[in-house]
Amino acid sequence: MTIPSPSGPQNTGPRNSISQNTISQNTGPQNTGPQNVGMQPPAPRPAVPPSGGFGGSGGGPARALQRVTASALGPYQSAVVRIGFAATYLFFLLRELPNRHELYGPDSPWHWDLARQLTKGNEAFSVLMWTDSTVWFEAVYALTLLSAAALLLGWRTRTMSVLFMVGVLSVQNRSIFMGDGGDNVVHLMAIYLVLTRCAQVWSLDARRAARDAQRAAAGLPPPRDIVGPVLWVLLGHVLVAATFMGGLGGTWWFPTLLWTIWLSAAAWWVVNRYLPHGEPRTLLDVLANLAHNATLAVIMAEVCLIYATAGWYKIQGSRWQDGTALYYPLNLDYFTPWPALSDVLGASGLMVMVLTYGTVIVQVAFPFTLFNRRVKNVLLVVMICEHAGIALLLGLPFFSMAMIAADAVFLPTAFLMWLGARATIGRRRLLSGLPGRSRTPGEPGEPGAAYGPADPPEEAGPVKDGGGGTEEPRHQGGGGGHTLVG
């Protein structure tokens, strides 16, 4: 049994637009016909005894438990986090493409032998430590680029999220002295994304699931998935070889995570093939939802911890206390991509003081504003503008992109749905101007369709996913998206 999620698209339909005032104003004789049956006030329910049911003392915890197990919450927020961090690292790798050998490759000042000694000491994982071959380095760099692009588009999201995590950890752990705070955030989020159902909306996986659902509604058999099993077999051979060769680092959790994901892919495939409507499938859904929701809570706590520690450490600094901290980076050549703009801003003592104190106040106060939605949204906008200013004034675009992507986990669902609708309209207008783009009404993602490219029908059957498993049906609770390993 599922509970409708307020973050899902099902709550925007016309059935919810009928207010109580509308009902009370349409009680005349003209509204008593059969066509207005759906607008009549509901019959009063019998009172539930305090000791039982949802109305009792255990109703709140029971509803909360059912909510976190029956659906993957925050589908739009998790999709924005996926898109944001994949885009951040994709653009970073593209920008450093001419310098990749000096930063992370064979020409790096931090030589391969030094990196190998360091990774042995801190038990870090990096596939670049398997060999110092230039061909191997180019292959890993290219694979990381491709996995970031595929994760951005939401293609075979579960598999690509694992490859993205492996690529991020490998590149960053190869030369850890090349990173900054933004790299640390990407490092953590790459691990967290593996456990989330971040392709429920705004992904190619969601579009494929919608098409498969339409085929099932029309009585057609689902298309045979070849890519998923092939990826599962290939990655399984790599995992087995890396395990026996000791190439998964010195920690216990990383190989455990990889083996759990790979084996659970087989479990999903078996259950969906032989027991698609049985209790094992329900159990897998519950475990996947719990993993997603728990990881989403960890991401929120991580963002709050970042801002809280940054703000309280700033309070202890004398330059932040006297309001002059911002003046110094504005006068360093390394942090002045626009010297004229930095000179104008740094010349105003009042502006420097306001921005310095404002930064501390916003960072310290943000974790405490989560209990007030309006204040939280205001500070969220201020922090996003602050990171945009850091990217522009201090020349740290990728740090700012990573923090904005992390902040997106707190964005309101209504705003994200509005943003997605505007993006869909813009895409349709752009494609309508291209020659040879005739469209059939009712096609997914096109005008006249009942569902958008990322909003498949709610009551769809299980369809194949990208990791050798299947995608769960789109229940009316926002529980769609790929499986725990899809």
Side-chain angles (χ1 to χ4, degrees), residues 194-347:
V194 174
L195 300 175
T196 61
R197 288 176 147 176
C198 53
Q200 300 176 89
V201 296
W202 299 340
S203 67
L204 296 180
D205 286 345
R207 292 178 64 90
R208 186 176 71 252
R211 291 193 298 267
D212 293 347
Q214 288 185 343
R215 289 176 58 90
L220 300 175
R224 186 178 180 182
D225 183 23
I226 302 297
V227 178
V230 169
L231 288 174
W232 185 82
V233 172
L234 290 178
L235 295 178
H237 282 81
V238 175
L239 181 60
V240 171
T243 301
F244 283 102
M245 292 173 57
L248 296 180
T251 60
W252 63 268
W253 66 267
F254 188 72
T256 301
L257 176 63
L258 294 180
W259 275 103
T260 300
I261 294 173
W262 187 73
L263 292 175
S264 58
W268 275 100
W269 186 86
V270 171
V271 168
N272 280 282
R273 183 175 180 86
Y274 299 104
L275 296 170
H277 305 292
E279 292 185 359
R281 171 56 194 262
T282 303
L283 176 61
L284 291 178
D285 271 327
V286 168
L287 294 177
N289 291 332
L290 284 174
H292 169 91
N293 296 329
T295 306
L296 208 60
V298 170
I299 293 176
M300 294 179 181
E302 190 80 36
V303 175
C304 292
L305 183 62
I306 290 173
Y307 284 119
T309 53
W312 286 106
Y313 272 116
K314 286 182 174 65
I315 290 177
Q316 302 175 35
S318 59
R319 300 306 179 190
W320 291 95
Q321 292 175 7
D322 59 26
T324 62
L326 186 62
Y327 173 81
Y328 298 98
L330 290 175
N331 288 274
L332 294 175
D333 293 338
Y334 184 79
F335 292 108
T336 53
W338 311 97
L341 183 59
S342 299
D343 292 341
V344 171
L345 185 60

Side-chain angles (χ1 to χ4, degrees), residues 417-439:
M417 294 178 66
W418 174 86
L419 192 64
R422 300 285 78 77
T424 302
I425 293 175
R427 178 181 61 85
R428 290 173 180 171
R429 290 178 179 176
L430 179 63
L431 294 179
S432 63
L434 299 178
R437 297 292 295 184
S438 59
R439 303 197 180 277

